[in-house]
Amino acid sequence: MDFRSFDQTQGGYEPPYTDVTGQPIHWEKLDTTKTGMVHRGHVVDVLIDCRLGMMTFDVFGLEIPWRRFSERAIVVHKPRDACEERGFSPIF
């Protein structure tokens, strides 16, 4: 449930990723951390590493690395732009 509130898009899973419905991630609502951003959920936090583009789940302090941003996520949600706006230098 916490992750679903983070990414509320559907569709557009094939290049050029244009048939997307829903709202892209509202990066301005995420908190800034030393390494990127965090979407705080009720149970699960989604940590974003703004250098590597890695997403990690934090469940009650236990960090579980999940995956790097997919090409779809980069095109639809624009995490590079969001990271740069917060002063990070993404290499993903």
Side-chain angles (χ1 to χ4, degrees), residues 8-26:
Q8 298 179 4
T9 60
Q10 295 180 355
Y13 297 108
E14 300 295 326
Y17 313 109
T18 54
D19 297 330
V20 176
T21 60
Q23 292 294 315
I25 295 170
H26 294 283

Side-chain angles (χ1 to χ4, degrees), residues 9-68:
T9 60
Q10 295 180 355
Y13 297 108
E14 300 295 326
Y17 313 109
T18 54
D19 297 330
V20 176
T21 60
Q23 292 294 315
I25 295 170
H26 294 283
W27 297 107
E28 66 278 359
K29 294 183 178 181
L30 276 64
D31 295 330
T32 303
T33 67
K34 308 189 311 192
T35 58
M37 294 178 267
V38 60
H39 167 76
R40 301 196 191 277
H42 295 286
V43 176
V44 179
D45 294 340
V46 181
L47 308 173
I48 305 299
D49 181 321
C50 273
R51 183 169 177 264
L52 302 175
M54 182 73 182
M55 294 188 304
T56 299
F57 294 127
D58 182 308
V59 183
F60 297 117
L62 176 64
E63 291 187 12
I64 304 165
W66 185 51
R67 66 180 290 184
R68 294 185 189 272

